[in-house]
């Protein structure tokens, strides 16, 4: 599904593409805000929406490649949006009861199939959350399951099987991994991948994990056990999504494949932090201290967003200069040599952050070959 979505984005008019990506981003932020409400009586708050947005800016991995780049937005942002939309009616059913199921629920099986078919590791995490809400609602709140809920879980599983069993995964693995990788056992792959995921979480996301655990302890101490369990459910689902990458050939380095898992963890932080602060009466010292901390966290996210945007603008200008130069060599039958980019991004908001630069020796290496095809360069391109 992700591949289909990014092809739609790439082939569409730039304004339509921008509109789709914007709608996906806004929908995701509003869903995060909704899932992160301290209680169901809480109304929508502009401050909490800004807080949700800031946490995404602060913690979302390689945000330029997952939310701005068309290929990345199709594979990560929009697929995660589909999964969150699938979770939404189960979340509402758990919190508001049977009466919440409406005529629109008839569309749930279709949404379930698309969400299950969207992203290998994030779809698994979404299923874990939905099953948890179903079981908790049935056995702790004595809510009854509807046929549409059960059939939607089944269609979700069918879509997920379509995704897992797709031949493209095996073809891509064979094309990208060295022969020595195939000689290793599944246990060896898992062991090495588990270590890499753990290392990435410690180096890149220890602040996020620490905040989640601190607020979880605070909420438990306040005896808000339902909110604590629900926040930790999203946290556990995020960890499950990320550690599922242990058996994947690639993706344990905290790049694009971490997006869905980190989004689940952001929901956990939203739920736990707002629950902890909301527990106290306004104007008390505890409330003001907690609120001040959340404001500082929000400002930190907005500052990172502003700095990342400026960095991305410079990086984009450097890329545009290269593209303008290559336009002059369209269809060339000579070996084209280009200068290094005038600016390389230092923040993860740029779409080419951390990506490979052109080879200076092999005109048909990656990513040179992409330039050769796009500009119809007969003998290829290299960097001076």
């Amino acid at each position: 599904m992700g591949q289909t979505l990014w092809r739609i984005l790439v082939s569409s008019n730039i304004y339509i593409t921008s509109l789709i990506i914007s709608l996906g981003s806004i929908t995701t932020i509003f869903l995060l805000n909704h899932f992160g409400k301290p209680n169901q009586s809480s109304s929508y708050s502009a401050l909490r929406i800004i807080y949700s947005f800031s946490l995404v800016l602060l913690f979302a991995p390689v945000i330029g490649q997952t939310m701005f780049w068309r290929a990345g937005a199709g594979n990560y942002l929009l697929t995660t949006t589909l999964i969150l939309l699938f979770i939404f009616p189960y979340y509402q059913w758990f919190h508001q009861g049977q009466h919440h199921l409406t005529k629109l629920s008839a569309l749930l099986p279709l949404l379930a199939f698309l969400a299950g078919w969207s992203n290998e590791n994030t779809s698994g995490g979404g299923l874990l959350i939905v099953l948890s809400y179903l079981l908790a609602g049935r056995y702790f709140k004595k809510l009854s399951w509807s046929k549409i809920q059960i059939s939607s879980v089944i269609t979700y599983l069918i879509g997920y099987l379509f995704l897992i069993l797709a031949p493209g995964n095996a073809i891509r693995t064979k094309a990208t991994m060295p022969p020595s990788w195939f000689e290793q056992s599944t246990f060896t792959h898992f062991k090495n991948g588990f270590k890499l995921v753990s290392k990435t979480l410690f180096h890149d996301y220890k602040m996020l994990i620490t905040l989640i655990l601190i607020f979880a302890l605070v909420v438990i101490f306040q005896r808000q056990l339902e909110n604590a369990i629900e926040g930790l459910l999203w946290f556990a689902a995020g960890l499950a999504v990320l550690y599922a990458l242990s058996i994947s050939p690639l993706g344990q380095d905290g790049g694009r494949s971490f997006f869905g898992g980190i989004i689940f963890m952001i929901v956990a932080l939203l739920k736990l932090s707002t629950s902890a602060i909301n527990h106290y009466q306004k104007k008390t010292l505890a409330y003001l201290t907690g609120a001040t901390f959340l404001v500082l966290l929000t400002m930190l996210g907005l500052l990172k967003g502003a700095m990342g945007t400026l960095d991305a603008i410079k990086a984009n200008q450097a890329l545009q200069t290269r593209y303008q130069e290559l336009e002059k060599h369209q269809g060339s039958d000579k070996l084209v040599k280009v200068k290094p980019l005038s600016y390389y991004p230092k923040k993860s908001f740029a779409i080419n952050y951390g990506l490979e630069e052109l080879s200076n020796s092999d005109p048909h290496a990656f990513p040179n070959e992409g330039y050769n095809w796009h500009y119809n360069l007969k003998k290829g391109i290299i960097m001076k």
Side-chain angles (χ1 to χ4, degrees):
M1 188 64 194
Q3 294 292 310
T4 301
L5 289 171
W6 84 256
R7 283 177 169 82
I8 291 173
L9 293 177
V10 169
S11 61
S12 298
N13 177 280
I14 187 172
Y15 298 108
I16 295 175
T17 297
S18 299
L19 178 62
I20 294 172
I21 293 175
S22 298
L23 287 174
S25 300
I26 292 169
T27 302
T28 297
I29 297 299
F30 271 86
L31 286 170
L32 295 183
N33 177 71
H34 187 78
F35 293 140
K37 290 197 299 184
N39 54 64
Q40 293 307 298
S41 62
S42 300
S43 59
Y44 279 99
S45 162
L47 290 177
R48 196 169 62 245
I49 291 173
I50 294 172
Y51 176 50
S52 304
F53 175 62
S54 298
L55 290 183
V56 172
L57 295 178
L58 192 57
F59 295 116
V62 283
I63 193 168
Q65 294 170 23
T66 53
M67 296 186 73
F68 305 147
W69 183 35
R70 286 178 291 181
N75 275 296
Y76 301 99
L77 169 65
L78 297 184
T79 55
T80 301
T81 305
L82 284 174
I83 293 166
L84 293 175
L85 284 170
F86 170 67
I87 295 170
F88 179 76
Y90 293 91
Y91 171 92
Q92 292 292 89
W93 169 82
F94 176 78
H95 284 284
Q96 299 183 13
Q98 204 72 25
H99 68 276
H100 185 74
L101 294 174
T102 65
K103 294 179 180 179
L104 290 177
S105 298
L107 300 175
L108 189 56
L110 174 60
L111 174 61
F113 178 77
L114 296 176
W117 195 20
S118 61
N119 184 281
E120 288 94 334
N121 54 329
T122 310
S123 291
L127 181 62
L128 174 62
I129 292 171
V130 164
L131 291 177
S132 298
Y133 278 130
L134 282 173
L135 292 172
R138 178 67 176 269
Y139 295 106
F140 293 100
K141 293 194 172 184
K142 307 304 178 182
L143 299 173
S144 59
W145 296 337
S146 68
K147 292 180 180 178
I148 201 75
Q149 287 176 309
I150 303 305
S151 62
S152 296
V153 170
I154 293 171
T155 56
Y156 188 95
L157 283 169
I158 293 171
Y160 194 40
L161 286 174
F162 274 31
L163 179 66
I164 297 298
L165 299 177
N169 292 325
I171 294 171
R172 182 175 60 182
T173 300
K174 188 175 181 180
T176 55
M177 301 307 292
S180 59
W181 188 87
F182 296 94
E183 297 171 1
Q184 298 173 348
S185 66
T186 301
F187 177 75
T188 300
H189 292 160
F190 175 78
K191 180 182 68 174
N192 294 336
F194 189 91
K195 290 179 181 177
L196 288 172
V197 172
S198 300
K199 182 179 178 180
T200 300
L201 286 173
F202 178 77
H203 285 287
D204 297 342
Y205 297 102
K206 55 179 173 287
M207 178 181 174
L208 173 60
I209 293 173
T210 300
L211 288 172
I212 290 171
L213 295 178
I214 289 173
F215 280 114
L217 289 173
V218 172
V219 173
I220 292 171
F221 178 77
Q222 295 168 341
R223 299 186 184 277
Q224 299 185 73
L225 295 184
E226 184 176 314
N227 283 349
I229 293 171
E230 189 172 5
L232 290 172
L233 164 64
W234 284 89
F235 178 54
L239 287 177
V241 166
L242 300 181
Y243 276 105
L245 294 168
S246 298
I247 57 174
S248 174
L250 299 168
Q252 300 93 0
D253 60 350
R256 297 186 293 271
S257 55
F258 268 52
F259 184 77
I262 296 302
I263 289 296
F264 286 173
M265 288 188 182
I266 290 173
V267 172
L269 179 56
L270 280 165
K271 184 73 176 181
L272 294 168
S273 61
T274 55
S275 297
I277 306 306
N278 195 63
H279 177 76
Y280 298 108
Q281 293 291 327
K282 290 184 178 181
K283 297 184 179 180
T284 62
L285 181 60
Y287 178 88
L288 293 174
T289 301
T292 300
F293 179 78
L294 297 193
V295 169
L296 291 174
L297 206 57
T298 300
M299 292 175 64
L300 187 61
L302 294 176
L303 177 63
K304 182 180 178 181
M307 294 174 64
T309 300
L310 292 175
D311 184 70
I313 290 172
K314 293 179 183 178
N316 187 60
Q317 289 172 341
L319 285 171
Q320 290 301 319
T321 300
R322 172 176 285 179
Y323 297 157
Q324 290 168 6
E325 179 64 23
L326 286 172
E327 289 289 346
K328 301 174 184 177
H329 298 282
Q330 183 84 37
S332 174
D333 56 1
K334 299 179 180 179
L335 179 63
V336 176
K337 298 181 180 181
V338 296
K339 298 178 181 178
L341 292 171
S342 60
Y343 183 83
Y344 290 93
K346 301 173 179 62
K347 309 291 181 183
S348 63
F349 283 65
I351 61 171
N352 61 326
Y353 174 77
L355 297 184
E356 293 178 70
E357 176 59 294
L358 290 170
S359 170
N360 57 10
S361 58
D362 184 357
H364 299 289
F366 179 85
N368 301 48
E369 193 62 27
Y371 283 83
N372 297 338
W373 179 85
H374 185 76
Y375 291 100
N376 191 26
L377 305 176
K378 306 296 191 299
K379 291 188 176 181
I381 181 175
I382 60 173
M383 189 168 66
K384 294 180 182 178

